[in-house]
Amino acid sequence: MAADLRAPLTPAGRTVVDLLAGVIPRISAEAADRDRTGTFPVEAFEQFAKLGLMGATVPAELGGLGLTRLYDVATALMRLAEADASTALAWHVQLSRGLTLTYEWQHGTPPVRAMAKRLLRAMAEGEAAVCGALKDAPGVVTELHSDGAGGWLLSGRKVLVSMAPIATHFFVHAQRRDDDGSVFLAVPVVHRDAPGLTVLDNWDGLGMRASGTLEVVFDRCPVRADELLKRGPVGARRDAVLAGQTVSSITMLGIYAGVAQAARDIAVGFCAGRGGEPRAGARALVAGLDTRLYALRATVGAALTNADAASVDLSGDPDERGRRMMTPFQYAKMTVNELAPAVVDDCLSLVGGLAYTAGHPLSRLYRDVRAGGFMQPYSYVDAVDYLSGQALGLDRDNDYMSVRALRSRTSA
């Protein structure tokens, strides 16, 4: 079977796609109104929980659907994004956390394994919605300080936290300072009901307007010692971390493939429905759309297949494994960020002025597809730095979280 995201490759993947088929019509029907009002689809996620889709990437032995193939996760996200990219982006947050928590459950320290197991079971039961909070608000450094009793206190502010309206837990990327002044990265797990945590209802995005991408404030939030994932020191230049970053993010490429596919179907349907043979210019645009889409899906499928193979191979040098996963991911991401907007743009040309209204579905897709260029890892500038560094053999820190931490300390 060609790796072009047309269909899932595993029984678990087919189960997830079949379950999605039952909820996609309603999501699609409500997408325009939710985009206009910026309203998060709470009811859709309640249905996801009932169907087990909030535990899609949780191992079957912990009660989940057992979806492990990155390729199949991306295929499912593509199907959902064809109906509504905002919903797909928010669901991706949950799926990504299931994948990374499964790794922690299998390979972490005993306290981390126990924490991961608790959360994975809760996700499978539809009781936990787990967000990642990565990006600091401008001028803010999110930090951990000892509470003097073996635990931690977290203070800071995060932006662009998708799925936040229904989140029950936040994995917060933070910094902590040792007594000797050394700065380390850490990821505390913070419960939504923790004292000092505030979710701000302030999202008014250009696109992905129904994704619930909010800001979250932490004011001396208590964190238990056994709910802290310790990472390496800032500036350590450990490319091993690129493997986890790839697993966390590569499946998002399916979302933008889905947006491009949805735009293509709208435009080609419009062209075919006008009657008679389309003019030569319109036929050229249609041929170009399908050519770009095939190249996009094939590139993404190849990168996902590579990531699936490398993710289960823990032999060899961890740093080399990280680069082996991240580099094809970035080739594919750069390709998607070029081709997907170009597809949607040509679809606007096919439909013409009718599409140049806020209420037309192509308007929503045009705004949604632009989000891909801002996603880490990597945004365009960081991707150029990474890929050119690999080609030229440059010695640089490829962990964007470490680089951000260094920049925040320098500018503070």
Side-chain angles (χ1 to χ4, degrees), residues 127-207:
E127 297 175 354
V130 188
C131 284
L134 280 73
K135 185 174 178 60
D136 282 334
V140 174
V141 178
T142 301
E143 295 183 287
L144 284 161
H145 299 280
S146 172
D147 66 0
W152 301 89
L153 297 173
L154 176 71
S155 294
R157 185 184 184 116
K158 293 293 185 178
V159 299
L160 301 176
V161 183
S162 297
M163 201 181 71
I166 63 167
T168 60
H169 300 76
F170 297 89
F171 275 60
V172 186
H173 289 251
Q175 301 178 38
R176 63 179 179 87
R177 187 185 293 273
D178 275 5
D179 293 338
D180 64 0
S182 300
V183 180
F184 290 79
L185 300 174
V187 183
V189 182
V190 187
H191 298 242
R192 189 188 187 95
D193 58 0
L197 189 152
T198 305
V199 178
L200 304 178
D201 186 10
N202 60 351
W203 176 240
D204 188 18
L206 173 68

Side-chain angles (χ1 to χ4, degrees), residues 89-134:
L89 179 62
W91 188 42
H92 163 266
V93 172
Q94 181 83 347
L95 299 181
S96 170
R97 195 54 56 197
L99 292 168
T100 56
L101 278 171
T102 295
Y103 183 88
E104 299 289 357
W105 173 58
Q106 294 171 337
H107 303 286
T109 62
V112 169
R113 292 178 64 185
M115 180 271 293
K117 185 176 182 179
R118 289 195 304 270
L119 273 178
L120 287 167
R121 285 195 181 279
M123 292 169 70
E125 293 167 2
E127 297 175 354
V130 188
C131 284
L134 280 73

Side-chain angles (χ1 to χ4, degrees), residues 94-353:
Q94 181 83 347
L95 299 181
S96 170
R97 195 54 56 197
L99 292 168
T100 56
L101 278 171
T102 295
Y103 183 88
E104 299 289 357
W105 173 58
Q106 294 171 337
H107 303 286
T109 62
V112 169
R113 292 178 64 185
M115 180 271 293
K117 185 176 182 179
R118 289 195 304 270
L119 273 178
L120 287 167
R121 285 195 181 279
M123 292 169 70
E125 293 167 2
E127 297 175 354
V130 188
C131 284
L134 280 73
K135 185 174 178 60
D136 282 334
V140 174
V141 178
T142 301
E143 295 183 287
L144 284 161
H145 299 280
S146 172
D147 66 0
W152 301 89
L153 297 173
L154 176 71
S155 294
R157 185 184 184 116
K158 293 293 185 178
V159 299
L160 301 176
V161 183
S162 297
M163 201 181 71
I166 63 167
T168 60
H169 300 76
F170 297 89
F171 275 60
V172 186
H173 289 251
Q175 301 178 38
R176 63 179 179 87
R177 187 185 293 273
D178 275 5
D179 293 338
D180 64 0
S182 300
V183 180
F184 290 79
L185 300 174
V187 183
V189 182
V190 187
H191 298 242
R192 189 188 187 95
D193 58 0
L197 189 152
T198 305
V199 178
L200 304 178
D201 186 10
N202 60 351
W203 176 240
D204 188 18
L206 173 68
M208 299 293 187
R209 289 180 48 77
S211 61
T213 302
L214 308 180
E215 294 186 32
V216 185
V217 178
F218 308 92
D219 183 11
R220 294 177 62 83
C221 293
V223 177
R224 289 175 11 195
D226 63 348
E227 294 194 330
L228 179 70
L229 302 176
K230 295 181 179 180
R231 302 307 189 207
V234 169
R237 302 195 178 196
R238 293 179 60 249
D239 282 355
V241 303
L242 303 182
Q245 292 173 0
T246 299
V247 170
S248 294
S249 301
I250 191 172
T251 59
M252 269 198 299
L253 298 181
I255 297 173
Y256 301 102
V259 172
Q261 183 67 51
R264 178 267 180 204
D265 292 345
I266 290 169
V268 171
F270 173 83
C271 190
R274 301 187 72 176
E277 182 175 302
R279 295 170 63 184
R283 297 200 308 273
L285 283 171
V286 169
L289 290 176
D290 283 350
T291 299
R292 285 186 174 126
L293 270 172
Y294 182 80
L296 186 159
R297 291 196 315 270
T299 301
V300 172
L304 288 161
T305 301
N306 171 81
D308 273 321
S311 67
V312 297
D313 181 8
L314 301 181
S315 64
D317 177 51
D319 289 337
E320 176 58 32
R321 173 174 174 263
R323 292 187 292 271
R324 196 169 72 246
M325 294 178 69
M326 181 61 76
T327 302
F329 170 26
Q330 291 308 307
Y331 292 149
K333 189 171 186 295
M334 293 280 274
T335 300
V336 168
N337 289 344
E338 178 182 347
L339 294 185
V343 166
V344 180
D345 190 63
D346 278 355
C347 290
L348 287 167
S349 296
L350 261 178
V351 174

